[in-house]
Amino acid sequence: MISDAMKGKEFSAKEGELILLHNPPGLDVRRLLIAGLGKEKDLSTESCRRLGGMASRRLRKQSIAGMAVVLPGHHSESAAVQALVEGFLIGPGGIDAYRTDKKEREKDPYHGSYTRLTLLTSSVTSSMRKAAHIGATVAEGVILVRRLVNTPGNLMTPVVLASETRKACRKAGVSVSVLNEKQIRDKGFGGVVAVSSGSSNPPRFIVMRYIPESAKSRKRPPLVMVGKGITFDSGGISLKPTASMEEMKADMAGAGAVIGAMSVIGRLKPDRPVTGIVPACENMPSGSATRPGDVITTYSGKTIEVLNTDAEGRLILADALAFALEEKPAAIVDIATLTGACIVALGHVYAGLMGNDTDWVEIVRETAAQHGEKAWPLPMDPEYDNLVKSDIADVRNTGKDSPGAISAAKLLEKFVGDTRWAHMDIAGMDWRKEATSWIGLGPTGYGVRTLTALAFREDY
Ligand code: BES
Ligand code: ZN
Ligand code: ZN
């Protein structure tokens, strides 16, 4: 039947192609979905993830109750299983959670229940079972992030983000502490205070801690991950243009990734402590807003000259990174929708990746690649240092010259001391404007898979 379909040019097995055959003779199934995966030599873990997504999207469209998938040949069966399950759960879904017509909302992933997936393999190993469990847990984290990022700014304020964090982490056994406005001010988080000063929605400073069970593992230095939590970025007094400003409800996608990853990490229990830090603010213009030209004092004591109030992410991250050092981290990774310049450099295919330690940056890059979240290193040579030199303060919040993604990272670098640190600029990665064959449009949940996998690596 497949050969016939190929002869008739209905199917060529290219990646993304699907063909549904009814009552295939000799098989005890009603419907057989054949999915093209492209050339065998190009088969990757990502192909498995896409296969899961394509098949389940097709499945949902036709309200089929369950499906069985023959596991494609792959160099690592457990990586294939994990990716397939991830794709199956992540693939379907729309972003129209606020449409009142139930029928119109049929594709909404947040209200539906998932159909059953059966994996067919010649033998079932315990590592495959484990991989399926990991895949399902990671997918849950990704779905959580997509819901948080999809929520509009009027409904997703810093206070709401904190309570969503509590909810997600409580279920996962991760402890959460939240500083309120007064505590933020008293502790001297000057970046958070400056950015939120124009908004009537007060800021929150969220800290999540996962602590492993064994006494020995507890003593290990933690992985610390920091996420930019701007629940809406109007630009502040340096107001953004109207066109596309609505996209800035997604300016907490980095925070989402950290929250999502912590909720997964609590369930999957890696062997080292992990701390997640999210400064959450809304960036708005008003009579009490920070002005261009203002100088602020951050948590570390270092001063920043604010030349553009739209470069707000780095102000709150400066506080959060300085605070992160108190955890005595093994390494830090931050994730932020930080600069439009990063989109100019890399588009919507790769996140920008920078840092102060080539080995740690390479670990992050490789981990991201293994989990279908691409990230590309940008240079951080000392020649770029003068981009952020201020005439009146320790550092300025806009670059003097064009490489905007690098100058933002150069500012952050001033706040991490000698601790190994990597920075992911995900400005182009948080939102997909068009659906693909395997996943719908809208928030991507980028970062959950990388951050989770980093917690399990033992080589740093
Ligand atoms: N949140 C934006 C960056 C962004 C832009 C994310 C587009 C996703 C899509 C950030 O706060 C910002 O406004 N950055 C400015 C910095 C500039 C004023 C130095 C930018 O990129 O234009
Ligand atoms: Zn901004
Ligand atoms: Zn922003």
Side-chain angles (χ1 to χ4, degrees), residues 228 230 232-236 238 240 248 251 283 308-314 337-339:
K228 169 178 172 181
I230 298 292
F232 185 73
D233 181 12
S234 70
S238 316
K240 285 182 180 296
M248 287 302 120
D251 212 18
N283 187 23
N308 188 321
T309 64
D310 196 12
E312 83 298 338
R314 61 199 84 181
T337 46
L338 206 62
T339 67

Side-chain angles (χ1 to χ4, degrees), residues 85-417:
V85 172
E86 284 174 7
F88 178 76
L89 294 174
I90 294 169
I95 56 171
D96 49 357
Y98 302 95
R99 213 190 292 287
T100 50
D101 184 328
K102 275 213 178 106
K103 275 194 206 117
E104 286 282 309
R105 232 175 39 213
E106 58 172 8
K107 281 190 275 165
D108 190 326
Y110 318 117
H111 294 93
S113 60
Y114 286 100
T115 37
R116 184 164 34 113
L117 172 66
T118 307
L119 293 178
L120 301 175
T121 75
S122 48
S123 65
V124 182
T125 63
S126 66
S127 68
M128 287 165 79
R129 282 185 199 285
K130 201 172 149 203
H133 173 65
I134 293 173
T137 311
V138 168
E140 237 182 89
V142 172
I143 291 165
L144 166 70
V145 180
R146 285 159 84 190
R147 178 172 64 78
L148 299 179
V149 173
N150 191 44
T151 307
N154 62 329
L155 303 175
M156 180 51 62
T157 60
V159 169
V160 174
L161 190 61
S163 71
E164 288 280 356
T165 305
R166 279 211 173 92
K167 248 190 270 167
C169 287
R170 190 184 306 127
K171 283 189 243 157
V174 169
S175 75
V176 179
S177 72
V178 177
L179 301 184
N180 65 23
E181 198 175 9
K182 176 165 187 308
Q183 292 163 322
I184 286 169
R185 200 174 292 278
D186 291 348
K187 278 193 80 98
F189 289 117
V192 175
V193 170
V195 173
S196 60
S197 65
S199 171
S200 41
N201 288 309
R204 289 293 183 263
F205 195 91
I206 309 167
V207 182
M208 294 152 266
R209 288 196 181 84
Y210 160 75
I211 297 169
E213 266 153 37
S214 99
K216 197 161 156 246
S217 312
R218 277 165 186 251
K219 292 204 190 83
R220 298 179 68 186
L223 166 66
V224 178
M225 30 208 222
V226 178
K228 169 178 172 181
I230 298 292
T231 57
F232 185 73
D233 181 12
S234 70
I237 297 297
S238 316
L239 195 64
K240 285 182 180 296
T242 309
S244 308
M245 197 201 274
E246 76 284 354
E247 289 174 9
M248 287 302 120
K249 72 172 182 179
D251 212 18
M252 37 58 72
V258 168
I259 296 162
M262 290 305 293
S263 76
V264 178
I265 285 166
R267 287 189 171 90
L268 298 181
K269 306 193 189 310
D271 223 12
R272 65 157 81 236
V274 184
T275 303
I277 301 174
V278 167
C281 296
E282 187 181 42
N283 187 23
M284 293 292 247
S286 85
S288 56
T290 297
R291 293 154 283 259
D294 284 2
V295 173
I296 63 166
T297 302
T298 59
Y299 185 65
S300 65
K302 287 196 174 79
T303 54
I304 304 181
E305 182 187 10
V306 181
L307 290 163
N308 188 321
T309 64
D310 196 12
E312 83 298 338
R314 61 199 84 181
L315 304 181
I316 65 171
L317 290 175
D319 281 344
L321 290 169
F323 179 80
L325 299 182
E326 294 173 10
E327 301 282 301
K328 303 210 168 27
I332 302 176
V333 56
D334 81 68
I335 179 159
T337 46
L338 206 62
T339 67
C342 193
I343 307 178
V344 175
L346 297 169
H348 302 277
V349 178
Y350 281 88
L353 178 59
M354 289 142 273
N356 62 357
D357 181 288
T358 39
D359 292 342
W360 174 234
V361 167
E362 174 53 20
I363 286 175
V364 175
R365 190 205 62 77
E366 187 190 66
T367 308
Q370 284 165 352
H371 293 272
E373 295 181 330
K374 293 180 184 195
W376 197 260
L378 296 174
M380 284 285 277
D381 302 53
E383 289 95 315
Y384 293 114
D385 284 349
N386 63 359
L387 288 174
V388 292
K389 280 202 177 117
S390 161
D391 295 333
I392 63 167
D394 295 333
V395 61
R396 50 186 274 156
N397 84 328
T398 56
K400 284 184 194 160
D401 199 3
S402 16
I406 297 172
S407 47
K410 275 290 167 189
L411 181 145
L412 301 181
E413 189 181 34
K414 301 253 178 283
F415 295 86
V416 294

Side-chain angles (χ1 to χ4, degrees), residues 11-80:
F11 184 69
S12 70
K14 255 199 252 125
E15 204 194 89
E17 256 187 305
L18 291 170
I19 177 168
L20 190 66
L21 305 174
H22 289 268
N23 300 315
L27 278 179
D28 191 16
V29 296
R30 276 203 293 152
R31 279 168 285 212
L32 180 64
L33 185 66
I34 312 282
L37 283 179
K39 292 207 170 63
E40 195 171 354
K41 69 170 174 44
D42 298 332
L43 191 77
S44 63
T45 310
E46 188 57 17
S47 328
C48 299
R49 191 174 287 108
R50 294 199 195 130
L51 167 65
M54 282 190 298
S56 79
R57 277 167 78 71
R58 178 63 175 258
L59 185 82
R60 287 206 121 205
K61 212 156 66 187
Q62 303 190 322
S63 4
I64 296 171
M67 71 170 169
V69 177
V70 182
L71 199 65
H74 187 269
H75 63 278
S76 158
E77 282 189 322
S78 44

